[in-house]
Amino acid sequence: MDKVALTLTLFGLLFTCVNLAKQDIDIYSFHINSTVTSRYATTVITSRVANLLNQSQEVHFEVKIPKDAFISQFKMTIEEKTYDGVVKEKEEAQQQYNQAVSRGQSAGLVSAVGRTLEDFKTSVTVAAFSKVTFELTYEELLKRRLGKYELLINAQPMQFIDEFHSWRSKVAWVKFYPTRDQQTKCDVCSKNGLNGNLIIMYDVERQKQSGDLTVSNGYFVHYFAPTDIQRIPKNVVFIIDRSGSMSGKKIEQTRLAMLRILSDLAVDDHFGLITFSGHIQTWKPELLKATEGHVEEAKMFVKRITSGGSTDINDAVLKAVDMINKYPQEGSASILILLTDGDPTTGETNPLKIQENVKKAIGEKFPLYSLGFGFDVSFEFLKKLSLENNGVGRRIYEDSDADLQLQGFYEEVAIPLLTDVHLNYQGVANLTQSTFNQYYNGSEIVVAGQITDNSLESFTTEVIALSKSTKVVYHSSVLTGDLSSDRPEHENFIKRLWAFLTVKQLLEKMVLLKDVEKENAKKEALDLSLEYKFVTPLTSMVVTKPQDEEIQVAHKPKEGEKPNRHSSGSTKISRRQKALSKHVMSPDLYPYLFFFFLAVRIESPTQKPLTTSPPSRSIRILKSSGNAHPLCYDVPLAQKVRLQQNVPSDFSMNGQLESFGGKGFSQIAIHYKTNHHLLLSATEIIYNDGQKTVKFSWEQDLTHHERENVSLILRSNEMDVTMGNIRVVILLHKKDGDVFLWPAIWQQPKDVSLMGILGEADISYEELPGSQTPTLKLKDQEVKTSWVMVKDYRLASAPVVGCWLVPFQAVAQRELADFTVTQL
Ligand SMILES: *[C@@H]1O[C@H](CO)[C@@H](O)[C@H](O)[C@H]1NC(C)=O
Ligand SMILES: *[C@@H]1O[C@H](CO)[C@@H](O)[C@H](O)[C@H]1NC(C)=O
Ligand SMILES: *[C@@H]1O[C@H](CO)[C@@H](O)[C@H](O)[C@H]1NC(C)=O
Ligand SMILES: *[C@@H]1O[C@H](CO)[C@@H](O)[C@H](O)[C@H]1NC(C)=O
Ligand SMILES: *[C@@H]1O[C@H](CO)[C@@H](O)[C@H](O)[C@H]1NC(C)=O
């Protein structure tokens, strides 16, 4: 019986331990309860706030939710009375909103969108000594990418993961119990608050290659992710924009990503490269096998890509299609990947014409994936271009990790396992998408539908597809009696999952449809959104507030859209707010919250151990060397280590590595002679010279402190420390909610031995030619290595650089345990 049911309950309670400076508002509890049944996640955020003032004041509620989720409920409870948000058709909600604005009483709309999260904000006036409870529910179907599902919860005060509890057969708990002490002393409890995303990554165990089936209340869901098949070699053509707008960082990151992608091609893949501006350039006229020689040659081509000129998307894509068509490979999967950052400006520039041309040329034979770089590109056009050709459009955000985004996308489609996948069911209706052009390793196909024929004794699934060399068929048949769920919580979720998936797919399909068909799809999506109370692009939620029936409207925001388009409304609210004292439940307040308890419960008959959160369990340390390329190595988190020691000059530096999920150091201590001690954390810097203690704060203005042979220079987020003949710069990095320290040694004595995990002054190695895996000769040892990209935190800008990844032991000739210390 392969009922897959993974229930995960995440539950947090927060208490205020300190009231705010003004002591007039008290957020006395904050819960996040996220339940994942299989892959369908329902998250409820509850915040309870008391007004401690003897007069009424405005209380704000602000949270971030995942972009792919739909809000399905919002309510405020004030003095035992509940005000429910009502989901309405967008136009109707807008009308109501406009009327309210014209009566001069409404507040502005409340959303903005980021890379993975969007904001939900609202506020309400609360009477003297009264309380308000905000409760927001959102739902999402978690997608499997690269072999795992990811549940992202943006809950600011969740840095601490205290312990993992053991797994029992059906229920597993992950508990987070930071003590009050730990919370208040934690290094990131600075002004930024404990600002973090909790990411829960998991995969499920699959008992059958034919997929997992769950049925309940007349609905079914089928998750299909077989692994018993060989990869299919691919024919891939990369179509790369090198127009003028790609200049600078974008083209650099593209080159970087392409070099890595080329290294990842399998030897039996065939590939082609096209770069385009106003004119099309191919690396080779035909697709070539990804042999070592060809890959090296292609890399040379990539390194020489420069930018300039206009954008001829039409000719570039048609050329690529032509190349794939001309050099077909038996038993392979063809893929086109287009990367561009702008609209077509030369050749055929009419988007409709381009779509028509490309669709005709591809003829449904293979997918076209489009990657839109930045926000100058008409993403709608690219999305459409891809959807029409069995692919998807993806946005690449202009950021320091753009190269990793590009590479990440490629990895998702790097291993085709099946093509022409058809999933068939008997006695069903209202199926979600059930044919797929290609299926990739690490992904999953999900089909849901309604069971209309209740007379059938068994429910059967059939999947027909092409694998590398043959047609494959997966059958499974389950007695319907066995399928009726014994879990009450399943009753609703399959139906909601079906509705969620149907709405998502209809919204996508609408992009491609015209006239009556488009209207029908829209109506169907709208009806379902209203029935299931989803806030989708077609609906809005109207929240009526107690005072004068004032209303607010929450839309599903569109990416790239400016928040608060309704300026009249938002002007009103800002005027109101001036009159009232304003308290925003925003990240600034979180340091005042005391995080009390958080638990994750995983309940599943077939669960696989999860990795909870740690995007990382180690940090990667970069080490410049005498050679052209730096070395790097991993050091596990959550311990105290000796970073550097120089006995003759009486210098040592120790560091506390963050607990897992962290990116760097939470504290660094430097000792010089017997009397100088410098302790740095994310919140403050304390220096003692044996007599006096001086405190610095990272925020203060440029400060220079000089004494004996010690010099301390503090500028924004950087402390430059010289002690004797050693110079170290400690940087404070603040990125994506992470705050951590990083040491950079800029000057050290060459003649004496240094000991610590930062390694000795200069390490040289030799790159050994010839072998399959790259190998270095390091300290007279042959060490297998791989080329990886790392952020160089030794510089404030943290640029991404390449390095040879080697085991720590190979660099230090010692075990890590030899460098741990008990005291900083
Ligand atoms: C969390 O949500 C689940 C499902 O709705 C519910 O059964 C459970 O009681 C909730 N837990 C808490 C602590 O509110
Ligand atoms: C509120 O309290 C302050 C002092 O705590 C007092 O001066 C003021 O008169 C009170 N206002 C009302 C409306 O009771
Ligand atoms: C698919 O990915 C898994 C790991 O995610 C790997 O173990 C497996 O070998 C891959 N399958 C193929 C055919 O490459
Ligand atoms: C499901 O399909 C049936 C007929 O096949 C149709 O009458 C019904 O309206 C559909 N239901 C929904 C919710 O689309
Ligand atoms: C400062 O450093 C110099 C040379 O490094 C040394 O000779 C001198 O004694 C040091 N002074 C103090 C006060 O430590």
Side-chain angles (χ1 to χ4, degrees):
M1 187 71 265
D2 66 334
K3 237 182 294 169
V4 173
L6 185 135
T7 307
L8 184 150
T9 304
L10 187 144
F11 158 56
L13 277 175
L14 297 166
F15 281 79
T16 33
C17 58
V18 189
N19 288 324
L20 296 175
K22 284 190 181 162
Q23 304 234 326
D24 49 12
I25 189 171
D26 181 16
I27 301 158
Y28 60 97
S29 101
F30 191 82
H31 288 208
I32 296 174
N33 184 357
S34 189
T35 306
V36 183
T37 313
S38 248
R39 290 84 165 151
Y40 198 68
T42 306
T43 302
V44 183
I45 302 178
T46 314
S47 172
R48 295 171 211 276
V49 186
N51 175 10
L52 305 179
L53 266 193
N54 62 0
Q55 62 181 60
S56 65
Q57 63 170 327
E58 191 134 19
V59 172
H60 292 241
F61 172 71
E62 177 177 354
V63 290
K64 287 185 165 48
I65 70 166
K67 223 154 77 167
D68 286 335
F70 290 152
I71 289 173
S72 58
Q73 195 176 58
F74 175 68
K75 48 190 190 190
M76 293 186 285
T77 306
I78 305 167
E79 283 152 23
E80 328 256 287
K81 194 157 180 249
T82 297
Y83 301 83
D84 258 308
V86 181
V87 175
K88 297 190 171 171
E89 184 175 359
K90 197 164 183 171
E91 284 76 31
E92 193 190 331
Q94 192 61 37
Q95 250 177 28
Q96 225 178 325
Y97 171 84
N98 289 343
Q99 278 168 13
V101 168
S102 67
R103 286 201 303 270
Q105 54 170 213
S106 181
L109 119 106
V110 278
S111 276
V113 85
R115 201 151 130 182
T116 50
L117 297 165
E118 59 194 36
D119 279 353
F120 180 91
K121 297 188 213 179
T122 188
S123 68
V124 66
T125 304
V126 178
F129 306 118
S130 286
K131 292 176 181 171
V132 56
T133 301
F134 300 99
E135 188 184 302
L136 178 75
T137 307
Y138 61 85
E139 301 176 31
E140 65 193 309
L141 178 63
L142 304 176
K143 270 207 190 106
R144 187 164 184 255
R145 287 208 176 97
L146 303 174
K148 61 183 192 287
Y149 308 90
E150 244 179 61
L151 172 69
L152 176 103
I153 293 166
N154 178 269
Q156 318 285 347
M158 285 193 194
Q159 285 286 325
F160 239 96
I161 302 170
D162 205 39
E163 56 180 325
F164 277 93
H165 263 232
S166 59
W167 303 87
R168 280 176 270 146
S169 62
K170 286 197 172 183
V171 183
W173 287 86
V174 180
K175 291 182 183 172
F176 302 79
Y177 279 115
T179 65
R180 179 185 168 137
D181 212 32
Q182 284 169 321
Q183 286 299 308
T184 46
K185 281 190 188 147
C186 105
D187 304 301
V188 284
C189 298
S190 63
K191 258 174 55 182
N192 290 347
L194 285 162
N195 191 350
N197 290 332
L198 175 76
I199 302 170
I200 305 210
M201 287 182 267
Y202 70 97
D203 199 5
V204 297
E205 228 156 57
R206 278 158 244 274
Q207 293 177 349
K208 285 188 196 166
Q209 295 294 336
S210 59
D212 297 331
L213 257 184
T214 315
V215 172
S216 156
N217 269 7
Y219 286 81
F220 79 92
V221 57
H222 182 202
Y223 306 103
F224 179 67
T227 53
D228 61 342
I229 15 181
Q230 277 185 303
R231 56 176 284 282
I232 306 179
K234 52 186 190 298
N235 298 325
V236 57
V237 178
F238 301 94
I239 313 160
I240 299 163
D241 188 343
R242 61 174 156 84
S243 63
S245 54
M246 287 286 288
S247 300
K249 192 139 193 187
K250 281 198 265 187
I251 199 80
E252 235 171 76
Q253 290 169 319
T254 302
R255 277 196 299 256
L256 203 62
M258 275 314 300
L259 291 176
R260 274 180 264 147
I261 289 170
L262 289 171
S263 301
D264 280 353
L265 289 172
V267 177
D268 55 354
D269 286 341
H270 285 72
F271 73 107
L273 290 170
I274 293 181
T275 63
F276 70 99
S277 52
H279 114 154
I280 315 295
Q281 191 183 4
T282 54
W283 166 57
K284 291 281 151 90
E286 72 265 85
L287 299 190
L288 288 182
K289 207 166 175 205
T291 58
E292 210 170 310
H294 287 150
V295 166
E296 283 312 310
E297 216 181 306
K299 283 183 177 172
M300 293 311 293
F301 175 82
V302 165
K303 283 180 191 162
R304 284 195 296 262
I305 299 175
T306 51
S307 50
S310 46
T311 313
D312 187 350
I313 292 180
N314 186 68
D315 278 7
V317 177
L318 293 186
K319 176 77 197 169
V321 176
D322 187 49
M323 272 169 79
I324 286 201
N325 282 338
K326 263 204 194 129
Y327 304 95
Q329 317 293 338
E330 279 290 300
S332 66
S334 296
I335 298 173
L336 283 186
I337 300 180
L338 165 69
L339 170 71
T340 180
D341 75 332
D343 296 338
T345 56
T346 188
E348 180 59 73
T349 56
N350 178 351
L352 291 174
K353 264 274 155 36
I354 299 176
Q355 279 161 25
E356 200 180 303
N357 293 344
V358 170
K359 190 170 179 192
K360 196 164 144 222
I362 293 181
E364 306 252 327
K365 290 199 292 283
F366 43 81
L368 165 66
Y369 296 99
S370 304
L371 305 174
F373 208 141
F375 280 89
D376 295 334
V377 60
S378 165
F379 192 59
E380 288 299 308
F381 160 67
L382 286 183
K383 211 159 96 181
K384 210 161 163 179
L385 194 63
S386 280
L387 285 174
E388 278 190 333
N389 295 290
N390 295 301
V392 291
R394 189 71 74 77
R395 201 189 288 279
I396 303 297
Y397 295 84
E398 277 186 73
D399 207 337
S400 57
D401 69 342
D403 52 320
L404 300 175
Q405 297 173 50
L406 287 168
Q407 195 187 359
F409 171 80
Y410 166 77
E411 280 168 5
E412 286 180 40
V413 299
I415 307 177
L417 295 179
L418 294 172
T419 60
D420 286 320
V421 189
H422 294 258
L423 297 99
N424 304 314
Y425 309 90
Q426 276 172 5
V428 298
N430 305 325
L431 269 190
T432 59
Q433 184 184 348
S434 63
T435 62
F436 298 84
N437 201 279
Q438 299 190 345
Y439 157 70
Y440 304 99
N441 198 22
S443 72
E444 180 178 63
I445 288 174
V446 181
V447 181
Q450 242 173 313
I451 300 173
T452 45
D453 189 346
N454 293 316
S455 66
L456 295 176
E457 272 183 17
S458 62
F459 186 78
T460 55
T461 67
E462 180 193 56
V463 185
I464 303 174
L466 292 178
S467 80
K468 183 176 177 180
S469 45
T470 52
K471 179 173 147 181
V472 291
V473 181
Y474 292 93
H475 275 291
S476 83
S477 178
V478 185
L479 292 177
T480 41
D482 290 350
L483 277 172
S484 53
S485 169
D486 52 354
R487 290 157 171 273
E489 70 265 26
H490 282 178
E491 301 223 325
N492 246 322
F493 105 84
I494 298 175
K495 198 170 162 194
R496 293 194 76 83
L497 185 158
W498 166 80
F500 182 96
L501 196 56
T502 305
V503 171
K504 283 262 165 177
Q505 291 180 354
L506 283 169
L507 290 170
E508 272 192 357
K509 227 162 77 187
M510 273 171 59
V511 176
L512 305 179
L513 297 174
K514 281 205 212 82
D515 310 328
V516 182
E517 282 182 320
K518 185 169 185 158
E519 281 310 306
N520 288 345
K522 183 174 173 183
K523 182 167 186 320
E524 209 182 319
L526 174 63
D527 288 349
L528 281 175
S529 303
L530 291 173
E531 185 181 343
Y532 289 84
K533 301 188 166 54
F534 291 143
V535 179
T536 67
L538 302 175
T539 53
S540 300
M541 183 181 272
V542 178
V543 182
T544 306
K545 303 207 276 186
Q547 312 84 33
D548 318 322
E549 299 284 285
E550 189 184 290
I551 67 162
Q552 271 193 312
V553 175
H555 295 304
K556 182 94 189 149
K558 233 185 175 164
E559 196 171 41
E561 192 179 64
K562 292 269 177 294
N564 267 336
R565 279 181 309 163
H566 308 272
S567 49
S568 57
S570 49
T571 323
K572 274 253 138 42
I573 192 164
S574 51
R575 239 184 276 136
R576 264 186 81 94
Q577 281 168 354
K578 262 188 204 144
L580 298 159
S581 64
K582 182 186 170 198
H583 292 288
V584 184
M585 171 65 180
S586 74
D588 320 358
L589 290 188
Y590 286 116
Y592 299 102
L593 298 176
F594 174 52
F595 180 43
F596 184 69
F597 168 59
L598 169 81
V600 181
R601 188 171 62 117
I602 301 110
E603 198 182 296
S604 160
T606 55
Q607 108 246 334
K608 236 180 174 178
L610 308 185
T611 38
T612 300
S613 192
S616 60
R617 286 161 187 278
S618 59
I619 57 167
R620 195 153 277 179
I621 290 181
L622 195 63
K623 174 95 196 96
S624 302
S625 84
N627 298 57
H629 301 298
L631 296 172
C632 51
Y633 45 87
D634 288 343
V635 176
L637 287 170
Q639 49 192 330
K640 296 190 179 83
V641 290
R642 171 137 296 154
L643 291 171
Q644 198 66 290
Q645 183 173 32
N646 181 219
V647 178
S649 53
D650 242 342
F651 174 93
S652 70
M653 172 161 72
N654 300 328
Q656 163 80 57
L657 288 151
E658 290 181 24
S659 51
F660 44 76
K663 295 229 168 85
F665 297 87
S666 56
Q667 285 191 15
I668 290 177
I670 298 176
H671 310 284
Y672 176 55
K673 307 279 186 210
T674 47
N675 52 331
H676 300 276
H677 304 282
L678 177 67
L679 180 67
L680 303 102
S681 73
T683 41
E684 58 177 355
I685 302 160
I686 303 172
Y687 170 61
N688 185 298
D689 63 2
Q691 288 161 348
K692 267 205 342 266
T693 300
V694 191
K695 273 193 193 182
F696 305 91
S697 117
W698 288 106
E699 274 85 16
Q700 77 190 53
D701 292 335
L702 180 69
T703 311
H704 199 149
H705 184 91
E706 193 106 41
R707 157 169 295 270
E708 291 175 16
N709 285 345
V710 172
S711 147
L712 306 175
I713 303 168
L714 179 66
R715 37 182 110 77
S716 72
N717 298 331
E718 218 176 284
M719 181 157 229
D720 195 327
V721 181
T722 309
M723 298 208 177
N725 52 1
I726 297 181
R727 181 174 160 226
V728 184
V729 175
I730 312 286
L731 294 109
L732 178 71
H733 285 279
K734 297 181 186 171
K735 194 90 179 72
D736 305 325
D738 286 301
V739 182
F740 57 90
L741 301 174
W742 200 273
I745 298 188
W746 292 116
Q747 181 191 318
Q748 51 179 287
K750 286 228 164 14
D751 49 339
V752 284
S753 76
L754 282 135
M755 285 177 44
I757 66 159
L758 297 184
E760 54 195 271
D762 201 353
I763 299 182
S764 351
Y765 59 84
E766 217 180 299
E767 289 182 31
L768 297 179
S771 64
Q772 202 73 11
T773 8
T775 307
L776 304 181
K777 188 160 180 200
L778 182 61
K779 307 213 164 166
D780 295 311
Q781 270 184 311
E782 287 194 9
V783 181
K784 295 241 180 307
T785 182
S786 56
W787 184 247
V788 296
M789 304 309 291
V790 167
K791 282 197 176 165
D792 191 354
Y793 289 122
R794 297 173 303 174
L795 297 169
S797 59
V800 176
V801 298
C803 57
W804 289 118
L805 179 64
V806 294
F808 172 74
Q809 289 79 0
V811 174
Q813 305 288 302
R814 306 268 291 268
E815 290 304 312
L816 182 74
D818 294 342
F819 296 103
T820 54
V821 295
T822 50
Q823 260 211 315
L824 284 190

